[in-house]
Amino acid sequence: MSGICGVLALGSERGDRECFATGLCDHLVRELLCMGRDGSNRWAEEDVSLGHVMLRETPESASESQPLLSSDDRLVMVFDGRIDNRPALFSLIEESVAIVPRNCSDAELALRVYQVLGNATPTKLLGDFAFAVWNRAERSLFLARDPVGGRLLYFVQTKDYFAFASRDEALLALPGITSAPNYELVLHAFAPPIPKPSQSMRGWYRDIMRFPFGHVAEIKAGSPSLRLWRYPPWCPVESTYPSTFEEAVKAVAELLALATADRMRACNIPAMLMSGGIDSASVIAAMREVIPATPTSEKSRIVGLSLVDEGNECCVETAAIVHLHEHFHTEPIFVSTRASVGAQLKAHLMQQFFDRAHPQDNSNVTLFPLFLRAREQGLTSVLTGAGGDIVSDRTGAAVAGVWRSHGLWQAWNMARALSRNNVYLRETPSSRIFLQGCRGRIATWIPRWLKRVLRWFASRPIVERNPFFDRKALLRLLDARESGPGTMHYLGAEPSSPESASNSARRQMLRAVGEGQDMLQHAASRYGITASDVWSDLRLINFFLRLPLALSCNDGWTKAPVRAFLTRSGVKTRVAYRLGKEHIGSDLLRPLQPAIRAFSESVLTKVGPLGVIDAKRLETYFAARESITNLPSSPADDAAEDLVDATAAVAFAAWVLRT
C-alpha cells in the first residue's frame, strides 16, 4: 500500500503556518518511506501540506504522481487504495465532466468522482481506500476510509495543528505527541473482564486516534472543530437470491471470481498467502478461474507463499498445502517452521516480535516471515483469505435460523451435525449447542409475548373504565414498536425479503472484518506490501448476510457452498472437509523459545515494583495472562496455543516498556 499524510496548521502566526505545516509533513513522509518503494512527494500551500509515499500496484498507476490537482486547480488529493467498480464510476461521471481516459489511475478516477459528488464520494466507491482532499476554495480538509478497513488511517489534533498518516507510529515524530500507551485499551486487551473504552477511535497510543472505517471527516482551516460521521457503504442492487443449494454454489463461485480478479489487478505478480484452510483454498481456486493454468505460459504464473512443517509427514495442514500447490499448479515458496530456520530469519523475527513490537499486529506470528519472503521476491501485493471465517462461517446463527425456517426438529438435527462435523464445536455436547443456538430465537419471543400480554391487559374492561390508565397511549406505543424494524436474531434473511438484513447486522459484520483488516494491513505496511483480503469484498459480505442459513450450513458443515465449490474444482474431499484445526504457526516459535524465555524474564523484572512504568496498572493484566510466566519448558510440550499467547503477551509487554 502507499502512504498518505498531511498537516493543517491551526495556531501560530499566518506567515509561519506554511513553514510549520511543511516541516511537520516532511517528518511524516520520512517516517512512511517503509510503505512505498517508488518515491515520495509533497504539496504545500499556506497552512496546509499533503504528502504521499508511492507504491505502484496497478498497471494504471505506472506513471502516476501524487498529490493530485484537479483540472480546475480547486482540489488537491492524496489517495491510497484500489477501486473495483471503475466501469460504473466512468458512466457516473462522464455525464457531468469531460471524458475521462479509461487508463487513468484509481486516484485520478476518485478525484474526478469527488469533483462531481463532493463529500458523498465514498458512498459510490467499491474497494479498499483511504484518501484526503483539500478544497482550496472552501479551505477545508476532507478525509475518508473504506467500510472494511482495507487501508490504514490515523490522526492527531493539538491546539497548533491537525495531522493524519497511514501509520500511527509515524505521528509520534510530531511535536507534542507522546508514545505513552492508552492504558484503558491495554487493560482491556490483557484482562477481558475490564470493559473496552467507550471512545472506539482511541488507538494504542494515548495521543493518537484511529480513523474509524466506514467514516468520513471534515475540518476547516482556522477551526479546531472536526466533524466526523458514518456514511452508508456501497451496496449492490440485486433482485434475487439463491433458492437452491446449486444456485448458492454457482453464486459463490462467481462472486469469488469477481472479487479475486479485481484484487489481482493490483498485483505485479499474482501471489497468494496460502494455508491449508478453506478460505485461502477458495481464493486460489478462484485465481485459477481467472488465470487458467497453461504450463508453457508465463502469464499463467501464480505464486503461493506458505508456512509449512517440512519433513513432518503427520502434519495435516502441510499435506493440504502441498496438495493445493500441486493441484492448482502454483509456484510454491515455503517458509519452514522446523528447528533448521536460519539464523538470519530468527534474528528478524526476534526484532519484529520485540524490538519493533506493536500490539496491532504481534498477535499473528505467521505474517512476518511470509511478508519478508514476499518482499524478497519483489512482490508488491499479495492476496489473502483472512476474513473468510467472519463472512461465511455463521455457526452461532445456524441453530436459530434452521429453527425459524424448518422447525424445532431440524434445529436439533443441525446441533447434532455441528457437534459431529464443525471444526470448532466438534465433540461439544449437542444439547449445549442446541440450547445456546436457540437462545437468540427464544429471546425474540419474549418481547412478542410481553406485547401480547400488554395488549390483552389493555383490552380488559377494568382497564378501559380506569380513569388513571391511559389505554390509548399504551396501544399507540405497541403499534409504533410493531411497525419499526424487527429484531434480527441471526445474520441472514429469506430470499424474498432482502431488506431484512438490517443495518445493525451489516455494521456488526463490517466492524468484525475491519478489526481483522487493521491487524493485517498494519503488519503488511512494515514491509511495503499490500495484503488484499478477498473475503472482505462488500459483494461477498452482502451475499452471505442474505444467504438463507439452510443453504449456508449442510449436515453440520458450515461454509457448505464454499466447500462444494472446492470439491467441484478438483480439490480432495479430505482437504475441503477437514476435521481439526492445526496450529502450525506455533512451530515457528519453537526455535525461538530460549530467546523468548530470556526476554520474558527481563521484561518481568522491569515491570516489577521498581519498574519504569506504573506497575500497579500492569499487575492487573499480567495476572490475567499467567502464560507469560509459564512458557512451555521444552519443544516437546503440547502447548501450542499457550506458546502463541505467551509470545504475544511478552511482545505486548515489550511494547509497553518501550513506550
Side-chain angles (χ1 to χ4, degrees), residues 426-448:
R426 190 183 180 198
E427 299 180 358
T428 302
S430 303
S431 57
R432 180 179 177 183
I433 298 174
F434 178 76
L435 292 175
Q436 290 182 343
C438 290
R439 184 170 54 186
R441 176 70 170 152
I442 296 173
T444 61
W445 288 354
I446 296 176
R448 295 178 186 175

Side-chain angles (χ1 to χ4, degrees), residues 124-369:
K124 300 297 183 182
L125 300 184
L126 171 65
D128 302 336
F129 58 85
F131 66 85
V133 178
W134 172 251
N135 190 318
R136 303 172 76 181
E138 299 179 2
R139 298 190 53 73
S140 63
L141 181 66
F142 177 81
L143 299 99
R145 192 181 178 199
D146 69 88
V148 295
R151 291 294 189 271
L152 301 172
L153 194 60
Y154 301 88
F155 69 95
V156 295
Q157 184 173 2
T158 70
K159 63 182 181 62
D160 295 321
Y161 61 87
F162 172 87
F164 66 90
S166 297
R167 278 184 66 87
D168 54 352
E169 292 173 317
L171 294 168
L172 295 175
L174 301 181
I177 306 301
T178 69
S179 60
N182 176 8
Y183 277 108
E184 291 183 349
L185 199 56
V186 168
L187 291 174
H188 169 75
F190 271 79
I194 297 178
K196 192 172 184 177
S198 58
Q199 176 54 269
S200 60
M201 289 193 302
R202 290 208 172 273
W204 293 102
Y205 293 102
R206 186 182 64 192
D207 296 337
I208 299 175
M209 308 290 281
R210 181 183 65 169
F211 197 94
F213 30 81
H215 282 67
V216 294
E218 186 177 39
I219 184 170
K220 294 184 178 295
S223 171
S225 176
L226 176 72
R227 295 176 55 245
L228 186 141
W229 66 96
R230 179 189 291 115
Y231 65 87
W234 177 92
C235 185
V237 179
E238 300 178 58
S239 56
T240 59
Y241 290 86
S243 57
T244 65
F245 186 72
E246 292 297 323
E247 291 178 357
V249 175
K250 181 180 178 181
V252 166
E254 292 175 352
L255 288 174
L256 275 172
L258 278 174
T260 302
D262 288 335
R263 283 157 178 79
M264 289 176 68
R265 183 175 65 89
C267 295
N268 56 344
I269 301 173
M272 174 72 193
L273 298 186
M274 288 180 60
S275 69
I278 304 302
D279 305 318
S280 63
S282 62
V283 175
I284 201 69
M287 292 178 77
R288 271 296 171 225
E289 293 282 337
V290 177
I291 306 179
T294 307
T296 59
S297 175
E298 179 69 17
K299 294 183 179 180
S300 66
R301 178 190 180 196
I302 294 178
V303 175
L305 295 108
S306 303
L307 197 67
V308 297
D309 190 5
E310 291 182 315
N312 184 0
E313 298 179 356
C314 299
C315 181
V316 177
E317 185 167 356
T318 297
I321 290 171
V322 172
H323 166 67
L324 292 172
H325 278 290
E326 293 175 349
H327 178 71
F328 291 112
H329 304 286
T330 61
E331 178 183 320
I333 298 178
F334 292 150
V335 177
S336 175
T337 64
R338 306 298 287 178
S340 58
V341 173
Q344 185 176 1
L345 179 57
K346 291 180 182 178
H348 176 78
L349 292 178
M350 289 298 294
Q351 180 195 39
Q352 297 300 317
F353 286 151
F354 304 128
D355 296 343
R356 295 190 59 195
H358 191 289
Q360 190 74 21
D361 47 33
N362 263 95
S363 59
N364 194 328
V365 298
T366 63
L367 292 178
F368 297 145

Side-chain angles (χ1 to χ4, degrees), residues 63-82:
S63 59
E64 179 186 68
S65 178
Q66 294 193 48
L68 290 172
L69 270 72
S70 60
S71 55
D72 57 2
D73 289 339
R74 187 174 60 92
L75 304 173
V76 186
M77 169 184 276
V78 285
F79 181 90
D80 171 31
R82 184 199 68 256

Side-chain angles (χ1 to χ4, degrees), residues 398-415 434 438 441 445 550:
V399 173
V402 171
W403 185 356
R404 181 188 182 193
S405 59
H406 291 79
L408 187 61
W409 179 247
Q410 291 299 325
W412 169 249
N413 288 336
M414 174 60 73
F434 178 76
C438 290
R441 176 70 170 152
W445 288 354

